[in-house]
Structure formats: structure tokens, C-alpha cells
Amino acid sequence: MKYNEISHFSHPQHQLNFDFTEVPFKCDGCKEVGIGSHYRCSYCDFDLHVHCAIPSLSIYHPFYTKCSFQFFSRPPGDTPRYCNACEKDITGFVYHCKSCGFDLHPCCAKLPMVLDDGEVKLHLYRKVRAACHRCGRKGRSWSYRSGCKQYNLHVACVREMLVENWHELYFGNGKGSSTRNLERRLPSLKNTLQTPHKRSRGKVKKCCEMAGLALQSVISAVLGDPTVLIAGVIGTLMSRA
């Protein structure tokens, strides 16, 4: 459920308003990148993913049927922690299971089990034996795989791709960077996907187009707003990179 205005424990100074942006932002809750729908304090330049702004106190996940994940505003304990979905470090809000020690970023915990943009349907798996379209490796993190089983993308690879291309957004010029500069840093599909060899030019082009649609959908989900509109926005920006 979404509200137009909320109060949040992490930012008691002001109310947060529901907002929408086509420019990437860094969530002040989980410290990960976001885009699209979110909650924002315009006075303080403070942003939260919807999943971070309105968290569940506890959740269960179908991949971990014996676990109960509790919401924490910071990683528990003194040991560095990483997300079991995307393998990235936990530095902010987290869902943690005390009994098994598993951790999930809020957006990773809420990743849709199925993504369907009308052309490519992707199912989320804990492990997939097929090779990832980006890294060419098998296994590793959670993965989205198409219903036709031709396209497979590690959630970890998508996370890495975003971090690699948006490093300057975090540590460079910051949130004040212009939209044009942000667009230059967005991932380029031609450098992202592993294209199968020994195919006709037409089949390769179609394969890349479908894999590109799959990638856009997964990026949208990882960024916290798995909507067709956001996938389209990302696709437009990618084409300019």
C-alpha cells in the first residue's frame, strides 16, 4: 500500500512525499540505487525506496521456507554482511534471519517471482544451471530466467553492472549531476550481453532484442520499481549510452 505522505523513523525532521523520478537516486535507507516510485524529502534531498519507506516488520520468502526475516535499520552484529540474493554488501536497511544468518536487501526481498512485460516472461530462481547472459557463468546468485529458457540473468550481475556504471553517481559529483551526465553512465546493452555465436545476423539481432527486454525488466525490479514504464525509460536511456 502506498500513501501520498508518510512519517519515517529514519528522517523525523520532515514528512516524506510520494514521488516519481526518471533520474537514478541513492536510497538513504538501504544505500542502494533506485529509480521511479519512491518517497522523498525535498528539503533535505532524502530518498527512500517504497520498500524501504514502508517495510514489513517480518517477512517469509519462498526460497527459505524455514526462515523468518526481521527488518533491521542497520546490519546486526559486527561482522560484515552480504545479501544472499545479489551478493552485494549490506550497509543499511536489511531483512535478517537470526536462526540461519541470511540477509536480504529490502528490494531484493521483494523481487517479484515473475516479471512479465508482455513479450518476455521471467521467473525468479534461487539457482539456475544455465549460463548468465551477462557473465557467461552458471550458478552464483538468484537469477531471472525466461519462460523459453533462452535468457538468464544473475541478480548479482545486474547489481554489479549498475554499480560499475553508476560509481560516479555515488562517489563522484553526487546527486547534483545533470541528467545528461547520468545518461552517459547508464549501462549499454551492446557491452552487457553475451551474444551466442554461429547464428544468422537476423537471429542474433532478435536474440539481442529479446535479451535486452529481459535485462530492462530485471533492472527495473532490482531498482525497486518493476513496472513496464520504468523498463521503457531505462531502455531509452540505454540506447543513448
Side-chain angles (χ1 to χ4, degrees):
M1 183 179 294
K2 298 177 182 177
Y3 304 91
N4 290 330
E5 189 176 75
I6 64 170
S7 298
H8 201 273
F9 68 87
S10 66
H11 192 72
Q13 302 95 315
H14 305 104
Q15 294 283 97
L16 303 181
N17 295 302
F18 183 75
D19 197 8
F20 179 92
T21 179
E22 296 180 1
V23 177
F25 63 88
K26 182 179 180 182
C27 176
D28 290 286
C30 67
K31 313 302 181 185
E32 298 298 317
V33 71
I35 199 171
S37 301
H38 66 295
Y39 282 90
R40 174 173 176 77
C41 174
S42 56
Y43 298 106
C44 305
D45 198 20
F46 183 92
D47 302 279
L48 291 176
H49 290 116
V50 172
H51 296 317
C52 292
I54 311 175
S56 304
L57 294 180
S58 63
I59 63 169
Y60 294 90
H61 198 280
F63 288 167
Y64 306 103
T65 55
K66 297 181 180 180
C67 296
S68 175
F69 291 89
Q70 310 297 316
F71 177 80
F72 289 83
S73 60
R74 63 184 65 182
D78 300 323
T79 304
R81 314 201 68 82
Y82 71 95
C83 177
N84 286 86
C86 71
E87 300 184 334
K88 198 169 181 293
D89 291 342
I90 300 285
T91 58
F93 292 0
V94 61
Y95 284 104
H96 173 73
C97 177
K98 294 181 179 179
S99 61
C100 64
F102 291 159
D103 299 278
L104 297 172
H105 288 120
C107 287
C108 290
K110 300 296 179 71
L111 284 172
M113 297 303 294
V114 179
L115 293 171
D116 186 359
D117 67 356
E119 294 193 56
V120 180
K121 180 177 284 189
L122 300 152
H123 299 266
L124 184 65
Y125 292 88
R126 184 178 176 184
K127 292 183 179 180
V128 175
R129 294 181 180 178
C132 171
H133 253 81
R134 183 181 185 243
C135 69
R137 290 183 289 167
K138 301 178 182 180
R140 206 182 178 191
S141 73
W142 292 7
S143 298
Y144 274 106
R145 190 179 192 187
S146 63
C148 63
K149 299 183 179 181
Q150 295 186 54
Y151 314 110
N152 176 51
L153 285 163
H154 292 139
V155 173
C157 286
V158 174
R159 280 281 188 202
E160 285 179 0
M161 181 183 64
L162 294 172
V163 171
E164 289 168 4
N165 286 271
W166 289 337
H167 187 272
E168 291 182 29
L169 174 65
Y170 292 159
F171 305 109
N173 296 326
K175 295 180 180 178
S177 300
S178 67
T179 302
R180 179 173 297 181
N181 287 336
L182 287 170
E183 289 173 8
R184 291 202 193 100
R185 298 183 201 131
L186 286 166
S188 174
L189 287 178
K190 65 183 179 182
N191 297 323
T192 299
L193 302 173
Q194 300 288 329
T195 304
H197 298 290
K198 297 182 181 180
R199 293 191 180 188
S200 68
R201 183 173 300 178
K203 288 184 178 180
V204 168
K205 181 179 179 182
K206 182 62 176 178
C207 175
C208 287
E209 288 176 352
M210 299 302 288
L213 289 172
L215 176 63
Q216 292 171 27
S217 296
V218 177
I219 289 176
S220 301
V222 169
L223 291 178
D225 195 343
T227 65
V228 174
L229 178 60
I230 290 299
V233 169
I234 291 173
T236 300
L237 294 178
M238 282 179 170
S239 67
R240 302 175 190 170

